[in-house]
Amino acid sequence: MPQDLLNALPPELRDQVAAVGEQVNPGELESFERLTRARDQSYKLQTLVTAWKLQHEAERTLRQKVAWYILGALAFQILLVNTCFFLIGVNVLHVDAGLSKIFVLAVFTEIVSMVLIVLRYLFPQVGNEFLQLIKDL
């Protein structure tokens, strides 16, 4: 505000007007708006990345526990089948030959299918949804 207009004001208003400061032009307002928008977008992005990181760490921990339990059960089952197969081979267990073949084949099929289920559902392929979400911000 020019000095002559400032002096024309009453003293109690003159101090308040002087405390407001210089005039702001449209370019400064536009710069302030861009800066504010960039800060807001940065905050959203940081929040999103932090939430994504925490979610994936929790999922990774849970998947690891479940995978170890499943693999332990499969190892026990393999040990049990091998023991039964060995006992049948040395004639400690007396089982029909056809039944023993079906038993071993069924257990082998179950083990392979469980491994495939573990690989498919516990370790899915990472999609591009998160990258698309970041782009949308």
Side-chain angles (χ1 to χ4, degrees), residues 84-85 88 94-107:
C84 289
F85 189 69
I88 291 171
H94 301 286
V95 180
D96 183 41
L99 182 63
S100 65
K101 288 177 186 177
I102 291 173
F103 173 70
V104 170
L105 183 62
V107 171

Side-chain angles (χ1 to χ4, degrees), residues 72-92:
L74 288 175
F76 176 73
Q77 188 171 13
I78 289 171
L79 180 68
L80 186 65
V81 167
N82 285 338
T83 304
C84 289
F85 189 69
F86 177 75
L87 292 176
I88 291 171
V90 294
N91 287 327
V92 173

Side-chain angles (χ1 to χ4, degrees), residues 6-7 14-15 22 35 37 40-41 44 50 54 64-65 76 82 86 96 100 102 105 108 111 116 119 124-125 130:
L6 190 60
N7 290 335
R14 192 177 309 143
D15 294 335
E22 297 293 321
L35 179 65
R37 199 175 319 130
D40 290 345
Q41 193 171 12
K44 288 178 189 176
T50 302
L54 291 173
Q64 187 176 20
K65 286 179 183 178
F76 176 73
N82 285 338
F86 177 75
D96 183 41
S100 65
I102 291 173
L105 183 62
F108 177 73
I111 290 169
L116 289 175
L119 291 176
Q125 293 181 354
F130 183 70

Side-chain angles (χ1 to χ4, degrees), residues 26-46 134 136-137:
E28 291 173 333
L29 284 176
E30 187 176 320
S31 297
F32 179 73
E33 180 183 1
R34 280 192 304 228
L35 179 65
T36 303
R37 199 175 319 130
R39 282 184 189 154
D40 290 345
Q41 193 171 12
S42 174
Y43 178 74
K44 288 178 189 176
L45 187 60
Q46 287 175 348
I134 290 175
D136 290 344
L137 283 178

Side-chain angles (χ1 to χ4, degrees), residues 119-136:
L119 291 176
R120 176 175 279 171
Y121 294 107
L122 285 181
F123 306 104
Q125 293 181 354
V126 177
N128 293 331
E129 297 89 20
F130 183 70
L131 296 176
Q132 186 61 38
L133 187 59
I134 290 175
K135 286 180 184 178
D136 290 344

